Amino acid sequence: MPVSDSRIYLDNAATSWPKPEAVYKAVDRYQRENGSPFGRGNHDSGAEVQRLLTNCRQRVAKLLGVGNPQRVIFTSNATDSLNLAIHGLLKPGDHVVTTTLEHNSVSRPLTFRQDNNDLEVTRVEPDDSGLITVDSVRAACQDNTRLISILHASNVTGTIQPIQQIGELAKELKILVLVDAAQTAGAIPIEFDSLPIDMMACAGHKGLLGPLGTGILCLSPEITNFLQPVRQGGTGTQSELASQPETLPARFESGNHNVPGLIGLHAGVGYLLEQGVEQIQLHEQTLLQQLDEGLRSITGVTIHARSSQAPQLGVLSVTSDLYDSQTLATLLSQEFGIETRAGLHCAPGAHEWLRTKSTGGTVRLSVGPFVTVEQIDQTVNAFKTLHQF
């Protein structure tokens, strides 16, 4: 893997880097040797694109446990997937239960609808360990609750939420469930069809190791009866129709696909299927434990919301007694080549819960498949150097 020795990349929760070598080669080959769109050419290069994107959909379905690949919808990113799920489902007068930990990709569409007197929204707080409890969700539900929208794991704390139990509650109450799996897809094993949920939004450029500009919305068989497209246009199929095709996935995929991105995603998911998500999860958990133990030993560094009571992704949020978060992240980058992310991470509610919002948020360190033990050692040593009294 061609990684600079001077660069330690710990911002995988934003986007994964580096990508598998096969991703770079696939995108470059397509750009140089093919360049055709998807579903819009009766020639050999168009047929190759058709084959690769069909195979990409099949690979994603296999990796995420979606029985029918046609229920894997390609979008431009997880935000696009979440907007399709929210705006394509909810109607005036509906009530939504969500959480205070959500990314702005969920909270802002819901707030937009709420501000237009279109929806009623209840936001559930986590418990002391960072978990959203089934009891708190049950207490928030009403007779007109249409949807429970919950993140699979926080992009600030890494805490993995009990979506199986929350989904079971939703089925009991006949409420639909949307899961934001932007942080978890490709990082932990997921079997979508085995979960009691209806929609799952994923980012193609994070744990799935594809390029930016790629996203996925997984649909249950039942939800296709309710979800409406929010964009209409050319699909490359059934052009004689005046209205949007009803068949999947074209019903939700108007306009030209991001073919370079999806061909890269095809290669990234292929790498995950070959290596095994379980092995990647084990590697990242090892690095997380190493990072946690190292930083916890440093006076002046605080790790936020790391609990033994809750399962967690390879994400840590920290603050320093000596530096504000922006300064600390800048010093790590400029002095040590360690790339992190400082601030509120598009999740202000999570920082309100952590009590870090008013002080500028945290420095988030997030590992990935290609981070090494040696790089974690260097990161801990950098923190020690910056916190020598």
Side-chain angles (χ1 to χ4, degrees), residues 158-233:
T159 303
I160 301 173
Q161 300 299 332
I163 61 170
Q164 174 73 36
Q165 292 83 355
I166 290 172
E168 289 171 356
L169 168 68
K171 295 308 174 190
E172 173 191 330
L173 300 177
K174 295 181 172 55
I175 298 170
L176 298 170
V177 179
L178 166 63
V179 170
D180 175 3
Q183 294 297 324
T184 53
I188 64 175
I190 295 174
E191 286 291 329
F192 175 78
D193 281 356
S194 298
L195 291 168
I197 63 177
D198 301 280
M199 298 176 285
M200 184 174 72
C202 310
H205 65 98
K206 298 179 192 276
L208 295 178
L209 304 180
L212 287 158
T214 54
I216 294 156
L217 183 65
C218 300
L219 303 177
S220 70
E222 296 77 17
I223 196 65
T224 58
N225 297 321
F226 306 107
L227 188 67
Q228 297 297 314
V230 296
R231 185 175 67 243
Q232 292 78 35

Side-chain angles (χ1 to χ4, degrees), residues 2-4 7 9 12 15-19 24 205 339 370-371:
V3 181
S4 170
R7 185 182 185 191
Y9 185 78
N12 288 277
T15 192
S16 56
W17 185 87
K19 309 296 184 182
Y24 303 130
H205 65 98
E339 299 181 1
F370 304 113
V371 176

Side-chain angles (χ1 to χ4, degrees), residues 125-316:
E125 293 273 353
D127 65 14
D128 290 343
S129 66
L131 288 171
I132 303 298
T133 67
V134 174
D135 288 343
S136 66
V137 174
R138 183 187 294 273
C141 292
Q142 303 174 175
D143 290 343
N144 63 331
T145 302
R146 173 77 161 167
L147 179 70
I148 295 170
S149 180
I150 183 168
L151 73 175
H152 198 178
S154 169
N155 71 316
V156 177
T157 67
T159 303
I160 301 173
Q161 300 299 332
I163 61 170
Q164 174 73 36
Q165 292 83 355
I166 290 172
E168 289 171 356
L169 168 68
K171 295 308 174 190
E172 173 191 330
L173 300 177
K174 295 181 172 55
I175 298 170
L176 298 170
V177 179
L178 166 63
V179 170
D180 175 3
Q183 294 297 324
T184 53
I188 64 175
I190 295 174
E191 286 291 329
F192 175 78
D193 281 356
S194 298
L195 291 168
I197 63 177
D198 301 280
M199 298 176 285
M200 184 174 72
C202 310
H205 65 98
K206 298 179 192 276
L208 295 178
L209 304 180
L212 287 158
T214 54
I216 294 156
L217 183 65
C218 300
L219 303 177
S220 70
E222 296 77 17
I223 196 65
T224 58
N225 297 321
F226 306 107
L227 188 67
Q228 297 297 314
V230 296
R231 185 175 67 243
Q232 292 78 35
T235 59
T237 60
Q238 298 180 280
S239 296
E240 72 281 2
L241 297 179
S243 58
Q244 191 73 8
E246 291 294 324
T247 56
L248 294 177
R251 176 173 167 80
F252 300 107
E253 291 185 0
S254 291
N256 269 297
H257 288 73
N258 174 10
V259 175
L262 292 173
I263 283 178
L265 180 63
H266 173 259
V269 175
Y271 176 88
L272 292 171
L273 289 169
E274 179 181 319
Q275 298 296 316
V277 172
E278 294 85 355
Q279 290 303 309
I280 290 172
Q281 181 186 25
L282 178 61
H283 173 70
E284 294 184 0
Q285 287 298 309
T286 300
L287 297 177
L288 176 68
Q289 186 65 30
Q290 179 190 358
L291 186 61
D292 178 85
E293 291 175 357
L295 295 183
R296 200 173 291 278
S297 67
I298 302 172
T299 302
V301 175
T302 300
I303 298 175
H304 293 272
R306 176 89 161 103
S307 171
S308 60
Q309 301 175 35
Q312 189 167 349
L313 294 178
V315 176
L316 281 183

Side-chain angles (χ1 to χ4, degrees), residues 31-92:
Q31 296 283 49
R32 293 178 185 277
E33 300 178 16
N34 189 308
S36 292
F38 173 74
R40 289 162 173 84
N42 297 321
H43 39 67
D44 289 347
S45 58
E48 182 185 23
V49 169
Q50 186 88 18
R51 177 182 61 79
L52 286 171
L53 265 61
T54 298
N55 197 9
C56 178
R57 207 183 298 273
Q58 293 170 345
R59 283 185 176 183
V60 171
K62 181 177 181 180
L63 184 78
L64 299 179
V66 183
N68 182 354
Q70 302 306 304
R71 292 191 277 110
V72 172
I73 308 302
F74 290 143
T75 65
S76 60
N77 44 53
T79 299
D80 191 29
S81 297
L82 291 162
N83 272 261
L84 169 58
I86 290 168
H87 296 309
L89 175 70
L90 297 172
K91 299 177 181 178

Side-chain angles (χ1 to χ4, degrees), residues 82-110:
L82 291 162
N83 272 261
L84 169 58
I86 290 168
H87 296 309
L89 175 70
L90 297 172
K91 299 177 181 178
D94 284 342
H95 173 249
V96 179
V97 175
T98 188
T99 84
T100 59
L101 300 177
E102 301 300 316
H103 191 278
N104 279 338
S105 296
V106 169
S107 61
R108 283 179 174 170
L110 290 177

